[in-house]
């Protein structure tokens, strides 16, 4: 790999290091039902003689799990309804240590205590609780998101603040137990987080070693319906006066709510911190994940007049199709279907304080992954004898046999310099950095073309005999090499206590080489080599009327290549840079004597050159996309026992025409709901006992399941119920999800809908969401 000479010339004035009030609590579990606001403290306040550090975590330059923590740290906990964290810094939104209140953007944070108190098991469980977010769990792209009118590869997913590849390629169902928190930054953010961040960034921040951490052992075990289980062990200890370690291992498994869809996930995260001196620290981290996401690829659509129990309240189509309830829990995949992954993420972090105002950070990291799919993925209900449909009333799978093998290796390095200074009443903070990435990606795929059609390729809709995958017909292999270099700079000028200007700019270079080999290993002529250069920037203003009320405005510009679909395009297709711009205004406030927090934002985004997959091995430029809407979030401690949380979002999105593609113009993009909402209500200390009970509601409005807008996914409400009992270091909780056993479709993959052309009868199916589930959880902190 070629590395740039990492040298930086920085000419600026900067500000003093910023410290934010925090949320803290002495015990890892005690007081999970207490008001977090009551535990907010001033920067210099001490608890039992130990100064409390900022609440933040993870792996970037500005968070409190960073390796410069040289003071005692208290464990942060909360109950099922968390704060909005307006006084907390976010490394996902800025590397300047700005709090959410000081940042001209919408930022959301969910910490580990809230996630565990709500009973979340996967990252997607937590993210879908946020305003305007729709999530999907399709096996070909686990933990996929729709946000602000965009979806899939247009939302960047980071691991501890670092980009490890296109989100649709690298995202897996992350175990919550290993996470410190999740941060979400809305809107185009490639200026901060690199390629693909058009609609936003989701940053999964793992637990990590920190200086002077409390020695602690956490144990967790849960069991629920469908033989689902989740166990975890976490240990944080010191290794002497100047070294500490943190290790967490979790294991998840379930039989699945559809037959033969066993799911497993094992995640090990470990880190060791060595404080070499007062000014220099070293941290080494390892992250291993092995999983199998199960083999449920959807339930076929059938003609409404032929369905035994039509679920017309779930879906409607212009072709008069529906989902048959009698097929709801049937699996049409083969018996030996596989959708598994094995990945490792290593990193070495160095931090050097040159003086009180200048800090250098360096992050060297490597990510490698092997992913493998081999399934009968596509199913079509045959309504006539045509093509490979030889039996009316059967489910045909012939073209649905598909295998895919990913081999990914990534090596990267990021170096940043933070420089803070103050001139009279003006504070200025600046960070500048260089990032280099070398990505190697092999994509081998295969599907039916030459293997003869046999009787077992079609199955009975109500009694499918799965059979085996059979002959593996390989189409070819497409190795892709990407070398990326970026220089970025971010600066905030605080003119006075009220007004500040926040600016950022980034310059990127990418060298891309794509080759295509056929099944015989011969080089085809549709590969390509491209070089890209682009700039992105952001300009924002913040006006703080006081410590509890902030107004902001922002304009951001973003350009990047077409992201994950770069592995599907060929030389004869237009795959130049895409462009996006957004403006956003909003208000953030803390009120009701600090017992309530509110955020309100309005945004407008426009992007050109959107690519969609229209066949197994190619994509098409379908024009641009526009989106606007508002998002509202609220948390409140009504009194000492009652707590309330709520959010809502309105999104209006549509395709716009390109010069060579107009047929989708004016349509609503799939998986974009006009309205979404969430509410939580909890009551604790019932009868002066350490018991908390609560409920939550999750609403997703009507969406379209395809680009032509011929398939409508109907709106749904999900109600959940939870209760917890806590005594000393122990916590026992119970949870019922989808209490009313609502039938619903959570997500649609457009390539698996209406692919029924007689020459390619591939797929016409949708995935139904989980029915009522329940589980019991036990936790202890030693």
């Amino acid at each position: 790999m070629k590395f740039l000479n990492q040298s930086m010339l920085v000419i600026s004035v900067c500000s003093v290091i910023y410290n934010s009030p925090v949320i803290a609590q002495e015990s890892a579990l005690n007081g999970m039902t207490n008001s977090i606001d009551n535990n907010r403290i001033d920067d210099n306040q001490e608890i039992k003689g130990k100064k409390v550090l900022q609440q933040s975590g993870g792996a970037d330059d500005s968070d409190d799990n960073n390796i410069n923590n040289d003071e005692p740290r208290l464990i942060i906990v909360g109950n099922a309804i968390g704060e909005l964290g307006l006084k907390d810094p976010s490394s996902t939104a800025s590397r300047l240590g700005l709090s959410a209140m000081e940042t001209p953007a919408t930022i959301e944070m969910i910490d580990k205590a809230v996630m565990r108190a709500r009973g979340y098991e996967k990252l997607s469980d937590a993210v879908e609780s946020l305003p305007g977010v729709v999530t999907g769990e399709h096996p070909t792209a686990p933990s996929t998101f729709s946000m602000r009118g965009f979806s899939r590869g247009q939302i960047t997913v980071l691991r501890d603040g670092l980009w490890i590849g296109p989100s649709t390629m690298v995202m897996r169902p992350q175990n919550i137990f290993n996470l410190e928190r999740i941060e979400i930054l809305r809107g185009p953010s490639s200026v901060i987080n690199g390629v693909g961040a058009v609609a936003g960034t989701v940053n999964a921040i793992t637990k990590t070693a920190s200086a002077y951490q409390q020695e602690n052992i956490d144990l967790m075990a849960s069991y629920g319906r469908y033989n689902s289980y989740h166990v975890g062990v976490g240990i944080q200890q010191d290794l002497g006066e100047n070294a500490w370690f943190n290790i967490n291992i979790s294991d998840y498994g379930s039989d699945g709510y559809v037959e033969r869809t066993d799911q497993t996930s094992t995640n090990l995260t470990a880190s060791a911190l060595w404080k070499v001196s007062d000014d220099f620290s070293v941290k080494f981290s390892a992250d291993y994940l092995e999983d199998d996401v199960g083999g449920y690829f959807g339930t076929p659509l059938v003609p409404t007049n032929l369905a035994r129990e039509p679920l017309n309240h779930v879906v409607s189509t212009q072709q008069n199709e529906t989902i048959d309830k009698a097929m709801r829990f049937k699996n049409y995949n083969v018996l030996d279907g596989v959708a598994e992954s094995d990945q490792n993420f290593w990193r070495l972090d160095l931090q050097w304080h040159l003086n009180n105002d200048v800090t250098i950070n360096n992050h060297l990291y490597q990510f490698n992954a092997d992913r493998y799919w081999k399934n009968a993925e596509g199913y079509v209900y045959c309504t006539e004898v045509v093509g490979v449909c030889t039996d009316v009333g059967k489910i045909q799978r012939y073209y649905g046999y598909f295998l895919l093998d990913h081999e990914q290796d990534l090596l990267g390095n990021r170096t940043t310099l933070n420089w803070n200074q103050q001139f009279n009443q003006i504070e200025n903070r600046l960070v500048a950095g260089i990032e280099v990435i070398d990505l190697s990606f092999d994509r081998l795929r295969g599907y039916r073309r030459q293997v003869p059609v046999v009787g077992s390729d079609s199955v009975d809709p109500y009694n499918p005999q799965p059979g085996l995958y059979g002959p593996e017909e390989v189409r070819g292999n497409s190795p892709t090499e990407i070398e990326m270099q970026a220089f970025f700079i971010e600066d905030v000028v605080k003119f006075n206590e009220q007004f500040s200007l926040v600016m950022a700019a980034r310059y990127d270079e990418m060298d891309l080489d794509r080759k295509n080999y056929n099944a015989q290993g011969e080089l085809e002529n549709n590969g390509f080599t491209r070089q890209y250069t682009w700039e992105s920037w952001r300009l924002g203003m913040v006006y703080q009327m006081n410590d509890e009320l902030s107004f902001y405005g922002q304009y951001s510009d973003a350009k990047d290549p077409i992201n994950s679909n770069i592995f599907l395009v060929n030389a004869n297709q237009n795959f130049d840079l895409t462009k996006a711009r957004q403006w956003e205004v909003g208000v953030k406030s803390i009120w009701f004597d600090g017992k309530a927090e509110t955020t309100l934002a309005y945004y407008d985004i426009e992007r050109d050159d959107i690519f969609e997959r229209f066949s197994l091995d190619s994509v098409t430029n379908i024009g641009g996309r526009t989106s606007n809407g508002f998002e509202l979030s609220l948390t409140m401690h009504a009194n000492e026992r009652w707590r309330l949380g709520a959010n809502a979002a309105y999104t209006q999105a549509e395709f716009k025409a390109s010069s060579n593609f107009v047929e989708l113009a004016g349509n609503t993009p799939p998986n974009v709901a006009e309205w979404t909402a969430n509410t939580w209500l909890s009551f604790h200390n019932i009868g002066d006992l350490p018991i908390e009970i609560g409920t939550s509601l999750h609403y997703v409005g009507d969406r379209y399941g395809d680009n032509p807008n011929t398939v409508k996914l109907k709106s749904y409400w999900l109600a959940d119920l939870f209760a917890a009992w806590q005594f000393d270091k122990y916590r026992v909780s119970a949870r019922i999800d989808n209490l009313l056993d609502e039938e619903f479709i959570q997500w649609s993959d457009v390539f698996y809908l209406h692919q029924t052309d007689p020459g390619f009868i591939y797929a016409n199916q949708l995935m139904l969401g989980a029915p009522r589930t329940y589980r019991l959880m036990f936790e202890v902190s030693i």
Side-chain angles (χ1 to χ4, degrees):
M1 168 181 163
K2 297 188 303 186
F3 275 96
L4 293 176
N5 275 337
Q6 297 195 22
S7 58
M8 294 178 291
L9 176 63
V10 182
I11 304 176
S12 178
V13 290
C14 306
S15 73
V16 293
I17 297 175
Y18 174 78
N19 290 309
S20 163
V22 302
I23 305 173
Q25 193 156 323
E26 284 189 56
S27 166
L29 287 174
N30 290 344
M32 291 188 81
T33 57
N34 291 341
S35 162
I36 293 180
D37 269 343
N38 294 335
N39 295 317
R40 291 193 182 276
I41 63 173
D42 296 329
D43 294 344
N44 297 318
Q45 182 177 345
E46 296 186 356
I47 296 181
K48 294 187 177 180
K50 295 184 178 181
K51 185 175 178 180
V52 180
L53 301 179
Q54 296 178 355
Q55 180 198 1
S56 188
D60 216 326
D61 304 328
S62 311
D63 46 59
D64 82 342
N65 281 343
N66 207 333
I67 54 181
N68 68 329
N69 284 352
D70 53 3
E71 301 188 40
R73 175 176 176 269
L74 296 183
I75 296 175
I76 301 160
V77 297
N79 66 5
I81 302 175
E83 308 304 313
L84 299 180
L86 298 182
K87 292 293 184 71
D88 303 327
S90 166
S91 60
T92 308
S94 171
R95 298 187 179 94
L96 294 169
L98 300 177
S99 70
M101 204 78 160
E102 298 173 304
T103 304
T106 299
I107 308 159
E108 287 131 343
M109 291 176 272
I110 308 177
D111 69 25
K112 62 184 179 184
V114 172
M115 290 188 288
R116 288 172 64 178
R118 291 182 184 175
Y120 296 151
E121 293 183 314
K122 304 187 299 292
L123 179 142
S124 57
D125 297 336
V127 176
E128 75 174 355
S129 70
L130 300 173
V133 177
V134 178
T135 66
E137 292 292 347
H138 198 280
T140 60
S143 296
T144 300
F145 309 112
S146 170
M147 183 188 304
R148 286 195 171 180
F150 297 82
S151 61
R152 295 176 62 86
Q154 297 164 76
I155 300 169
T156 287
V157 176
L158 305 179
R159 188 69 169 168
D160 285 330
L162 296 171
W163 185 84
I164 55 175
S167 58
T168 53
M169 298 292 181
V170 304
M171 190 59 201
R172 309 300 293 183
Q174 174 62 53
N175 291 350
I176 287 298
F177 184 83
N178 297 73
L179 297 183
E180 179 71 26
R181 70 181 185 280
I182 300 168
E183 295 185 358
I184 295 90
L185 172 63
R186 304 296 185 113
S189 54
S190 59
V191 67
I192 302 295
N193 298 310
V195 299
V198 172
T201 300
V202 177
N203 188 9
I205 300 173
T206 59
K207 299 173 183 176
T208 187
S210 59
Y212 307 107
Q213 64 189 10
Q214 266 191 346
E215 294 189 353
N216 200 65
I217 299 176
D218 288 324
L219 304 174
M220 180 272 292
S222 72
Y223 184 79
R225 192 180 184 188
Y226 304 114
N227 289 322
S228 64
Y229 68 88
H230 196 184
V231 294
V233 179
I235 303 172
Q236 57 182 34
Q237 300 284 332
D238 61 60
L239 296 170
E241 293 184 358
N242 300 310
W244 303 265
F245 79 92
N246 184 295
I247 182 169
N248 291 272
I249 183 169
S250 63
D251 188 61
Y252 169 80
S254 175
D255 290 345
Y257 57 90
V258 173
E259 60 185 14
R260 296 185 293 103
T261 54
D262 295 1
Q263 305 166 39
T264 61
S265 177
T266 301
N267 192 193
L268 170 65
T269 52
S271 59
L273 168 64
W274 178 29
K275 193 170 179 60
V276 181
S277 68
D278 290 341
D279 299 321
F280 184 70
S281 300
V282 180
K283 180 188 284 186
F284 175 75
S285 304
D287 185 346
Y288 172 75
L289 176 64
E290 179 183 38
D291 66 20
D292 188 329
V293 297
Y296 173 51
F297 283 82
T299 301
L301 292 166
V302 301
T304 301
N305 63 330
L306 297 180
R308 296 179 180 180
E309 299 178 77
L311 297 178
N312 294 327
H313 61 285
V314 168
V315 61
S316 64
T317 77
Q318 292 182 8
Q319 290 84 351
N320 292 319
E321 299 161 306
T322 189
I323 296 288
D324 191 341
K325 186 174 182 177
M327 300 163 59
R328 181 181 185 187
F329 300 110
K330 304 298 181 182
N331 188 356
Y332 301 92
N333 199 353
V334 291
L335 192 63
D336 55 345
V338 175
E340 60 188 19
S341 170
D342 192 316
Q343 63 187 44
N344 294 279
F345 185 28
W346 311 88
R347 58 182 292 164
L348 178 67
D349 299 329
L350 306 176
Q351 187 171 79
W352 182 23
H353 292 285
L354 276 68
N355 54 51
N356 290 335
D357 297 316
V358 180
T359 301
I360 295 177
N361 288 275
N362 193 83
H363 309 292
L364 176 66
Y365 53 99
Q366 181 185 35
F367 177 81
N368 58 75
D370 295 312
R371 311 180 193 97
Y372 184 55
W373 292 263
K374 188 179 77 169
N375 301 277
E377 296 184 1
Y379 324 120
V380 175
Y381 183 89
C382 292
T383 57
E384 60 178 324
V385 176
V386 60
V388 294
C389 270
T390 58
D391 295 302
V392 174
K394 292 292 186 71
I395 303 297
Q396 180 53 248
R397 308 184 300 184
Y398 176 77
Y399 286 114
Y401 291 91
F402 187 57
L403 65 88
L404 192 61
D405 192 345
H406 288 178
E407 293 184 9
Q408 178 184 346
D409 291 288
L410 180 146
L411 181 63
N413 193 81
R414 177 194 291 165
T415 302
T416 58
L417 183 146
N418 286 71
W419 189 7
N420 307 322
Q421 212 169 54
Q422 182 166 344
F423 288 92
N424 297 323
Q425 299 300 313
I426 298 178
E427 296 182 9
N428 195 84
R429 279 173 272 177
L430 178 142
V431 60
I434 290 177
E435 186 164 20
V436 291
I437 295 174
D438 185 279
L439 172 62
S440 176
F441 195 100
D442 279 10
R443 179 178 177 268
L444 182 146
R445 69 270 186 212
Y447 41 86
R448 292 287 193 264
R449 283 294 184 269
Q450 305 299 326
V451 175
V453 180
V454 296
S456 60
D457 292 336
S458 63
V459 295
D460 187 290
Y462 304 102
N463 186 29
Q465 300 302 309
L468 301 175
Y469 188 91
E472 295 184 3
E473 183 180 346
V474 175
R475 162 65 181 88
N477 187 30
S478 299
T480 302
E481 299 287 336
I482 296 177
E483 291 185 359
M484 301 172 60
Q485 304 89 32
F487 172 79
F488 54 87
I489 189 168
E490 188 181 0
D491 188 74
V492 57
V493 182
K494 191 170 184 179
F495 295 97
N496 51 46
E497 292 296 323
Q498 285 76 41
F499 181 70
S500 59
L501 190 65
V502 182
M503 302 161 284
R506 183 182 176 105
Y507 173 79
D508 286 90
E509 294 180 355
M510 174 187 285
D511 298 324
L512 185 147
D513 182 72
R514 160 78 178 271
K515 292 181 173 62
N516 290 322
Y517 294 90
N518 63 21
Q520 290 73 41
E522 300 167 338
L523 184 65
E524 298 180 327
N525 61 4
N526 57 352
F528 56 88
T529 299
R530 292 290 298 266
Q531 291 81 40
Y532 297 95
T533 62
W534 70 95
E535 306 84 25
S536 51
W537 58 274
R538 179 177 75 180
L539 178 63
M541 294 175 289
V542 179
Y543 180 75
Q544 290 187 260
M545 294 190 64
N546 51 55
D547 289 341
E548 298 181 338
L549 181 62
S550 175
F551 297 90
Y552 71 89
Q554 165 210 148
Y555 183 90
S556 55
D557 166 87
K559 302 182 184 70
D560 57 43
I562 61 176
N563 203 1
S564 61
N565 285 328
I566 202 69
F567 301 110
L568 299 178
V569 296
N570 292 307
N572 62 343
Q573 294 173 302
N574 175 21
F575 48 93
D576 208 348
L577 291 170
T578 68
K579 301 176 183 179
R581 63 102 185 117
Q582 173 191 261
W583 61 268
E584 177 181 344
V585 294
V587 59
K588 304 172 185 180
S589 63
I590 302 172
W591 49 287
F592 194 28
D593 294 328
K595 297 177 181 178
E597 294 184 356
T598 307
T599 64
L600 175 64
Y602 177 84
Y603 63 89
D604 188 289
I605 305 175
E606 182 175 347
R607 190 187 190 193
D608 63 10
D609 296 328
I610 301 296
F611 280 70
E612 285 285 354
R613 186 170 67 152
F614 273 80
S615 68
L616 273 175
D617 230 23
S618 66
V619 294
T620 300
N621 186 334
I622 62 172
R625 187 182 293 192
T626 61
S627 176
N628 61 77
F630 68 83
E631 297 153 346
L632 171 67
S633 294
L634 163 72
T635 63
M636 176 182 290
H637 303 184
N639 55 42
E640 293 182 355
R641 295 185 175 184
W642 286 97
R643 292 169 59 92
L644 170 69
N647 61 55
Y650 170 80
T651 305
Q652 185 175 33
E654 66 178 35
F655 289 116
K656 63 176 186 175
S658 68
S659 58
N660 61 347
F661 197 96
V662 298
E663 64 183 79
L664 298 182
N667 288 2
T668 300
N671 298 306
V672 176
E674 189 174 55
W675 284 98
T676 64
N678 297 277
T679 62
W680 299 268
L681 183 66
S682 73
F683 182 74
H684 60 88
N685 291 344
I686 299 174
D688 293 326
L689 296 174
I691 298 175
E692 176 187 9
I693 62 171
T695 185
S696 64
L697 294 174
H698 175 62
Y699 173 76
V700 177
D702 289 347
R703 296 135 290 137
Y704 288 106
D706 61 344
N707 290 319
N709 289 180
T710 65
V711 177
K712 179 177 285 188
L713 313 180
K714 300 296 186 67
S715 64
Y716 61 90
W717 282 95
L718 299 181
D720 303 327
L721 188 66
F722 58 89
W725 175 82
Q726 185 173 312
F727 181 76
D728 195 21
K729 299 178 179 180
Y730 305 95
R731 187 174 191 268
V732 179
S733 58
R735 181 179 178 89
I736 303 175
D737 293 316
N738 194 1
L739 178 67
L740 302 179
D741 205 17
E742 178 83 1
E743 295 156 336
F744 66 101
I745 294 172
Q746 186 175 17
W747 186 267
S748 167
D749 190 307
V750 296
F751 184 57
Y752 292 83
L753 265 179
H754 289 166
Q755 301 289 326
T756 56
D757 183 274
F760 184 64
I761 295 177
Y762 176 65
N764 189 25
Q765 65 213 48
L766 289 165
M767 295 186 67
L768 286 158
R772 182 189 298 117
T773 59
Y774 42 82
R775 59 187 179 273
L776 184 69
M777 177 183 291
F778 173 79
E779 299 170 273
V780 61
S781 181
I782 304 172

